[in-house]
Amino acid sequence: MTRDELERALRAVDVPDAVAARERARATVLAAHRERAPRRGPRAALVWALVACAVAAVAFSARDTRPAREVRERVRDVFAAPAPVPTAAPAALSGRVLVSEGDELFLVARGKRASLGHWRDASWSPRGLYAAVAGGNTLAAIDPADGTVRWKLVHREEVRFPRWAPGGLHVAYRAGTTLRIVYGNGTHDVRAGRAMAPVAPAWRPGQPRTVAWAGLDGTVTVEDADTAKVLWTRTGGRVRHLAWSADGRRLLVAGARNGTIHDFETGARTRVRADGTIVAVAFDRRLALAIHRDGRTAVRVRGEVVLSAPGRLRDLEWSPDGRALLAAWPGADHWLVVRGREVSAVRHRFGGAARVRGWATP
């Protein structure tokens, strides 16, 4: 692009959030001006020059180039409202974390990682005694200490989303487009639902036989795993996320941009609206949402932004004690861990394709 073409492009582009940015710049300059003598000296000129550079950077950032995107992120950090930022990393992440990278599963504990075999997905059993794992067309239970296979089932279809019930009695998973449920010892594997959406099933805390799952048509079903009795249904749009609160009272059903929290004790429904794409959820005592918009992800807990970072965060996980929240930061070689209003960056030495599969006690 020539200099003339660049100048014309800068003049033609609409500055993002121009009005608000102009007002913030004006307030900053007026505040700086009030602190000094009323005359326009070199310092005042410098302030105006900095503001002009910032506005020019905002305009240039609208061009879809890599340098422009980098400038845009820095300008947004200047003009955006304050948000928690990563601080120094702790020595190690407490507890044990399951991480899959490609076709391999790892256990991360005390700052070290160990391979558990060739598995693409996993979840912890209650108290972290075992892990339910899936890879290709195989479902298995393994010992997280060394990856020893305790039992396995082989299907003709691809197996995904293994989820162990909180009581340890069942494992729910998706084989092809079918919901299947098997006992925790690998016996009595049965089909429990058809036309299942690619969404992980969610077991209800406090009621270990009750599972929620989503259909391809948007129907959400809550049923008894032993009797197949349907306890509750909801029909709506496409479902991308299912999550129960820690007390088993509330169920979050969410799509790409909004969702609903269903209270099973009162029958109340609470709408959840996002100003972007919901890319991850985690429900414990508190609901955490990762919302991606305009190249950034904001993590909200009970509606309050506790973390904001460039890129697309994912894989939200509450710590076993519910005091810390982990968010994966693909491509940054770090996890971000939120404790209250503090955010720490924990290096993990995995690539951008790595996925967090669960966080358990030591």
Side-chain angles (χ1 to χ4, degrees):
M1 178 182 289
T2 67
R3 178 177 178 179
D4 291 340
E5 291 173 337
L6 176 60
E7 184 177 358
R8 286 194 299 270
L10 289 174
R11 290 177 177 175
V13 73
D14 292 330
V15 179
D17 199 17
V19 176
R22 187 163 54 244
E23 287 302 316
R24 287 192 290 269
R26 177 177 175 274
T28 301
V29 173
L30 288 178
H33 183 71
R34 284 194 297 269
E35 294 176 358
R36 315 304 285 171
R39 60 185 178 87
R40 293 174 60 105
R43 290 180 183 270
L46 178 59
V47 171
W48 281 110
L50 290 174
V51 172
C53 289
V55 174
V58 174
F60 181 72
S61 70
R63 305 295 295 172
D64 190 18
T65 64
R66 181 175 180 180
R69 288 193 297 271
E70 294 175 351
V71 172
R72 177 177 61 199
E73 297 301 339
R74 285 159 175 76
V75 171
R76 279 183 180 157
D77 288 340
V78 172
F79 284 108
V85 295
T87 58
L93 192 69
S94 62
R96 298 172 296 159
V97 180
L98 291 174
V99 180
S100 65
E101 185 174 34
D103 292 325
E104 193 166 5
L105 181 69
F106 296 88
L107 175 69
V108 179
R110 293 182 292 276
K112 299 180 180 180
R113 69 177 187 175
S115 175
L116 296 179
H118 295 288
W119 308 104
R120 295 183 65 87
D121 201 353
S123 72
W124 288 108
S125 72
R127 298 177 296 281
L129 297 179
Y130 299 100
V133 296
N137 61 346
T138 301
L139 172 76
I142 65 171
D143 187 334
D146 54 12
T148 300
V149 175
R150 296 295 181 175
W151 56 260
K152 69 178 181 180
L153 300 172
V154 179
H155 289 272
R156 288 178 294 181
E157 305 91 353
E158 181 186 21
V159 174
R160 299 181 63 188
F161 308 121
R163 295 296 183 269
W164 216 308
L169 185 59
H170 302 91
V171 176
Y173 63 101
R174 185 178 190 249
T177 59
T178 299
L179 170 70
R180 300 191 69 88
I181 298 177
V182 60
Y183 282 159
N185 62 2
T187 64
H188 194 57
D189 179 42
V190 299
R191 183 178 63 221
R194 299 177 182 271
M196 178 183 178
V199 178
W203 290 97
R204 187 177 185 180
Q207 298 192 21
R209 299 191 312 178
T210 304
V211 64
W213 62 282
L216 291 169
D217 62 355
T219 299
V220 175
T221 302
V222 177
E223 67 179 60
D224 186 293
D226 279 338
T227 66
K229 178 181 178 181
V230 175
L231 306 174
W232 180 87
T233 60
R234 166 268 190 195
T235 303
R238 180 183 177 187
V239 178
R240 295 191 178 185
H241 309 279
L242 286 175
W244 289 96
S245 59
D247 58 8
R249 172 177 172 174
R250 293 162 293 164
L251 174 66
L252 170 70
V253 179
R257 300 182 67 88
N258 56 69
T260 303
I261 299 175
H262 300 269
D263 191 314
F264 278 65
E265 287 192 8
T266 66
R269 295 183 297 176
T270 304
R271 297 289 292 171
V272 176
R273 299 189 183 277
D275 55 357
T277 301
I278 301 174
V279 293
V281 305
F283 212 171
D284 193 77
R285 294 187 297 271
R286 297 165 292 169
L287 173 63
L289 299 173
I291 301 172
H292 183 261
R293 180 184 180 186
D294 297 335
R296 294 185 70 88
T297 303
V299 177
R300 298 176 182 174
V301 177
R302 290 178 175 168
E304 178 187 0
V305 176
V306 298
L307 169 64
S308 179
R312 196 180 187 94
L313 303 183
R314 64 186 183 195
D315 300 339
L316 293 182
E317 290 282 348
W318 284 107
S319 62
D321 62 8
R323 297 180 179 178
L325 179 67
L326 180 150
W329 199 4
D333 192 26
H334 284 78
W335 293 321
L336 300 179
V337 180
V338 182
R339 294 180 177 87
R341 294 293 296 175
E342 296 182 358
V343 181
S344 300
V346 181
R347 189 173 184 183
H348 54 57
R349 305 190 309 277
F350 287 103
R355 303 299 302 267
V356 177
R357 300 302 184 182
W359 192 354
T361 55

